[in-house]
Structure formats: C-alpha cells, structure tokens
Amino acid sequence: EMNILYYSKPQVARIMDTQNERIRTMTMSYIAQGSKETHDLEATSAVIVDFISVVIDRILYRDYKMFPKDDLINAAVEILAQYLE
C-alpha cells in the first residue's frame, strides 16, 4: 500500500507530498472562484481532497456487495456537484 511506501522511502514521501500539495492548492483555487462563501478555504479544500481519496480507495480496494461501484461513484459526484455548484 502507498502508506507503507510513503513511510519507508523518503523519495516516495517527497513525491506524494508534492502531489498532495498541488491537488490541495488547485482545489482551494477552484473553491475560491465559486460563489459559495467558505468559512475556512484550507480546511474545506482538505475535506474535499480527503473525501475524493476515500471514495477512490473504496472503489479500488473494497469489494462492495451492498451496491455497485458505479452507484458509489455517482453518489460521490452528486455530493461534490451539490457542494461546488
């Protein structure tokens, strides 16, 4: 898993930190352009990025018998679209 590589290989940690910072910054920029008032732009960005990461992890690494993966994807997109509209 990526967490194991992150903590065992400094060069992987640097790459992942750089990518995560870039994603967080781009997300903050997008949110700032929107019409919704945001109390804490950085915290909101972190929550959105974490939300997306968790959804991706669930899609890739868990076998859901309760509902199809497409339903999970559609629900995540709907939630994000409602917040970001």
Side-chain angles (χ1 to χ4, degrees):
E1 192 167 312
M2 292 304 290
N3 284 335
I4 294 169
L5 287 173
Y6 181 90
Y7 291 108
S8 64
K9 305 235 180 225
Q11 65 194 49
V12 171
R14 281 193 299 277
I15 291 168
M16 287 178 67
D17 287 344
T18 299
Q19 288 178 335
N20 289 337
E21 180 61 22
R22 189 174 299 153
I23 291 167
R24 191 186 65 75
T25 301
M26 289 171 59
T27 304
M28 269 196 318
S29 175
Y30 182 81
I31 295 167
Q33 293 173 20
S35 61
K36 280 195 185 237
E37 187 174 325
T38 303
H39 174 72
D40 186 332
L41 194 58
E42 288 189 34
T44 301
S45 175
V47 168
I48 290 171
V49 170
D50 288 349
F51 172 79
I52 293 168
S53 293
V54 168
V55 170
I56 291 169
D57 286 348
R58 286 178 186 250
I59 291 166
L60 293 176
Y61 303 117
R62 293 190 183 176
D63 182 27
Y64 279 95
K65 297 188 184 351
M66 295 183 342
F67 46 83
K69 290 181 180 183
D70 285 344
D71 290 352
L72 182 63
I73 294 167
N74 291 333
V77 169
E78 185 178 324
I79 290 166
L80 286 173
Q82 286 177 6
Y83 178 78
L84 296 173
E85 68 180 11

